Every structure is written in structure tokens, then in C-alpha cells.
Amino acid sequence: LFEGLGGTLTFDAEKKELNITILDKSDTWPYDKERDMSKPFSWMFETRQNENWKASADIGLFKTQQGALTVEVVGQDPVMSLSGIKMPASDYKYLKIRMKNQTDGREAYMFFTTTTNTSVGGGKRYDIMVSTNDTEFKEYVVDLSSCEFWKAGETITSLRFDPVNNP
């Protein structure tokens, strides 16, 4: 998911396609540099089926093909999740999402859990306002340090991404 994790998310509602790429982690954003694939938390969807991401709700087709995760939105609150990770929060400052939203949905959400805060919610959420009915891909950058639970000493244990709400 992405750029605070250091990468990009591409969601094309017309094609029902989601592509997640992670760039270098850093305290400053490396906009011009591709992520070193030998580092953890890269989801390229080229070799492993779905890269351990799971469709959790309101998603039909969910499969890796041609270097992308294809996601078919079939309801009002599509949810995908990744669990069993151990990601030091202090290593990732930004979340960068690149997506083409061809729906009327205006919001995307990213949730997370930590070793000390194990349930989704309770302030562990980023609201991402997205444009609607896009004809081009757009990028959204979230400062992960803006959340009091994404802090030094915390380990992120799961991620949940809702690519669009009420499409």
C-alpha cells in the first residue's frame, strides 16, 4: 500500500485493477527513486499470488495478473487486508497512493494495527479524500506521522485498505 511504506497504489475502477508498489523508505520522500526490491514491504504482484493480500469484503475478482492486482468492486465498502507483518513504524513516514478512481466515491481509507493496539479503528486510520470519475491517474500522499499511533517504538502488524467508499 504504499508510500509511507514507501510506494504507490494504483486503482482503476473501470478495469477493476489495483497495483501496489513500494519505494525506498526514508525520512525524506524519494520521489525520483524506485524501491530496492530486496527490502521488505514491496508488493509488485509479479511473482507471488496476491502477495498475501486478502479480499475481505465487497470485492469479487481478486487476482494477480500481468504485474497488477486486479480487484473487482462489488459493493459499497471494498476492503483488502494484509496481516502477519512486522513493520517498524519509525522506518516509514509517508503513504503515497497512485490511483484512478472512476467512481463517484470520494474517500479511501488505510487502517493499521500494531503490537500494542491490536484492533482496527480507535484512531488507527487515515482518511484519504480522492477525486471522482478520473480519466488520469492521480497521486495522494499521506503523512503517516500525523497519527499518534504510527510512532517510533511501534511495530505495524496488519494493514487494511479500502480503495474507495460508496462507489
Side-chain angles (χ1 to χ4, degrees):
L1 277 117
F2 348 150
E3 295 204 21
L5 315 171
T8 63
L9 168 83
T10 307
F11 178 70
D12 184 329
E14 181 178 295
K15 293 180 181 177
K16 309 284 196 242
E17 181 177 291
L18 180 69
N19 186 15
I20 299 171
T21 311
I22 300 298
L23 302 178
D24 256 340
K25 62 183 182 177
S26 173
D27 286 341
T28 60
W29 186 248
Y31 288 101
D32 61 343
K33 187 174 181 186
E34 286 295 320
R35 178 166 168 67
D36 176 350
M37 292 307 297
S38 67
K39 295 181 181 177
F41 310 113
S42 292
W43 299 284
M44 300 299 292
F45 303 108
E46 293 174 349
T47 58
R48 291 178 280 162
Q49 183 64 26
N50 299 342
E51 302 281 353
N52 297 319
W53 285 90
K54 307 284 186 233
S56 302
D58 289 341
I59 293 176
L61 179 67
F62 190 80
K63 72 176 193 173
T64 301
Q65 58 187 22
Q66 300 176 345
L69 178 61
T70 300
V71 177
E72 177 186 21
V73 175
V74 296
Q76 296 298 302
D77 189 16
V79 173
M80 55 183 283
S81 58
L82 176 70
S83 59
I85 60 174
K86 294 179 181 175
M87 181 173 56
S90 59
D91 286 352
Y92 300 93
K93 186 174 179 182
Y94 297 99
L95 168 67
K96 181 179 176 188
I97 302 170
R98 182 175 183 263
M99 64 187 279
K100 182 192 297 185
N101 176 18
Q102 295 180 319
T103 74
D104 291 330
R106 294 189 163 279
E107 299 169 304
Y109 304 110
M110 201 276 288
F111 301 83
F112 64 95
T113 62
T114 69
T115 51
T116 58
N117 291 284
T118 58
S119 63
V120 172
K124 295 180 300 300
R125 176 177 110 177
Y126 295 94
D127 298 353
I128 305 153
M129 298 305 296
V130 297
S131 62
T132 62
N133 303 304
D134 293 335
T135 58
E136 301 291 328
F137 287 94
K138 296 187 178 170
E139 291 185 350
Y140 305 91
V141 178
V142 177
D143 181 354
L144 297 172
S145 66
S146 67
C147 178
E148 66 180 294
F149 297 104
W150 194 286
K151 60 185 176 186
E154 287 286 358
T155 299
I156 307 306
T157 56
S158 72
L159 298 171
R160 171 182 152 180
F161 185 68
D162 300 9
V164 66
N165 193 30
N166 297 316

